[in-house]
Amino acid sequence: MSGGHAHHTLYLPGTSVLHRLPAQVKLVAAVLAVLAIVAAPREQFWAFGVFAVVIVILAVTAGIPLLLIARRLLIELPFIGFALLLPFVASGERTDVLGLHLSTDGLWGAWELLATATLGVSVSILLASTTPLREVLTGLERLRMPTLIVQIMSFMIRYADVVADELRRMRIARESRGFVASNIRHWPVLGRSAGALFVRCFERGERVHLAMLSRGYTGRMPQPEGDGATMTTWGLALSLPVLFAAVSLTAAVLT
Amino acid sequence: MSDALRLRGLSFSYPDGHLALDGVDLTVQQGERVALLGPNGAGKTTLALHLNGIHTATSGSVEISGMPVDKGNLAEIRRRVGIVFQDPDDQLFMPTVRDDVAFGPRNLGLGQAEVAQRVDQALTQVRLHDVADRPPHHLSFGQRRRAAVATVLAMDPDILVLDEPSSNLDPAARRELAEVLLSLDVTILMITHDLPYALQLCPRSVVLADHRIQADAPTAQLLADDEQLAKYRLELPFGFSVPTA
């Protein structure tokens, strides 16, 4: 019940054109743009350069500091680790780089993974930094995602902090009585804590449902308000994936 | 004056046979503010859940502004009875406070303009207009409790039922909530252990113990009767006393 939640959010308030576009339009544009990036042949380095430049221009337009994007890109670290392994473990033709005997296929694979992952994650960072979470949900609903799934996602976002707080209080209560999980014999205790947390969440779910029923809930969420996007906004947003697709296509033709 | 709430011989047993309520009679008139007191486990919350048809009486009847609570009119009953639950995190489940306050009116099928107007009014009544667009978990506990009150006020209820409204509040938040509740022009039934709070807000108190109503008196008179209080495991906080009238 404490008020000291970390107010972590990916959203960066702003008024740029990227901020103003409706969420459903941005979602579609981002997914298509990522697909276009993945489709680009890996041998055409310039294509990836074009993608990167366009993403940087968009970030600057939206007023998102490049350093922030770089920091958020850290999420792809596990993939980078995997990409670095590829040249060592992949089979096929070998080549010598700086005295290391590496697989050519592996090197290409690593480059492709690194480039597409970095660009793809950057696009989603752009989306997340310019779109509040609840609008992402509204956008998904407008894109005809089943309401039940959108509801579950929305509840997950709403209650993540509450559950994390509950977990933290349980941990503090354990530790206050001298418990520190240091080896495998302590796992049953942690298991029981997890079980207790599950039961608490389940019971909270029932209470939330009661509270919803009490305000006239009949199994259907009220529809989101506001109008859909106009053709012009769709055109504006889709110009990004169209540009990327054109670059990929040109690159494929040149290969 | 007409009756906002009328219970006649209300009895309820849980499916496992555990008896919760046994012949509860209670009438609350429109505009009254009544405190429902009683020890833990007396059935106060169970009683509240009968008022809007979440529980159905095993025997006896519940009427809200003359309308009996039954399966056929649950939608209207749930508009008329606004329950504010004890944990605001149970009540606030939408991404922003504004969405949450709009949840009830939208379920009523009201138009967009009407919903917006109700939301504005409810948020103004609980003095939370400035945090309308924030997610509930960014609010202080006191603000969340008031937001929970707003979510039911927006349904324009005939009777507001509050379950332990002062629990977990710091003294300032407790006072702020009291000011909000006193400023509302609505019938209130307040479940509480906080006897000074009952005295401050509710001119009338009823005691629920051993599954039925044991006492029904002006709050000041009830709280001055130490013998009666002790009988039902009710105690004023240390250092407090209410002078005999």
Side-chain angles (χ1 to χ4, degrees), chain A residues 1 5 7 134 155 158-159 161-162 204 207-208 210-217 220-222 225-226, chain B residues 52 54 78 85 87 89-96 99-100 103-104 106-107 112 136-137 141 151 155:
Chain A
M1 309 276 159
H5 296 297
H7 293 183
R134 61 176 292 261
F155 277 75
R158 167 64 183 91
Y159 286 100
D161 274 351
V162 175
R204 182 181 294 279
R207 292 200 304 272
V208 172
L210 270 188
M212 290 171 77
L213 286 180
S214 298
R215 282 194 280 153
Y217 177 71
R220 279 178 51 115
M221 276 322 232
E225 285 170 2
Chain B
N52 72 348
I54 298 275
R78 284 171 185 174
F85 290 89
D87 186 348
D89 278 330
D90 292 344
Q91 190 135 12
L92 306 170
F93 53 86
M94 296 287 274
T96 67
D99 280 338
D100 218 300
F103 176 79
R106 281 187 191 148
N107 281 330
Q112 223 178 77
H137 55 273
F141 193 82
T151 65
M155 309 212 24

Side-chain angles (χ1 to χ4, degrees), chain B residues 36-110:
Chain B
L36 179 61
L37 313 174
N40 281 333
K44 303 187 294 295
T45 303
T46 308
L47 176 65
L49 293 179
H50 276 88
L51 304 185
N52 72 348
I54 298 275
H55 285 332
T56 313
T58 315
S59 68
S61 68
V62 181
E63 273 178 30
I64 308 296
S65 309
M67 179 187 273
V69 175
D70 63 45
K71 290 267 178 281
N73 53 22
L74 282 186
E76 172 61 15
I77 289 294
R78 284 171 185 174
R79 184 199 66 75
R80 291 186 184 190
V81 181
I83 301 190
V84 179
F85 290 89
Q86 201 172 346
D87 186 348
D89 278 330
D90 292 344
Q91 190 135 12
L92 306 170
F93 53 86
M94 296 287 274
T96 67
V97 175
R98 187 186 297 281
D99 280 338
D100 218 300
V101 178
F103 176 79
R106 281 187 191 148
N107 281 330
L108 297 178
L110 299 175

Side-chain angles (χ1 to χ4, degrees), chain A residues 18 25 40 61 63 87 92 101 130 197 208 234:
Chain A
L18 265 79
V25 176
T61 319
H101 192 56
T130 57
L197 187 69
V208 172
W234 275 108

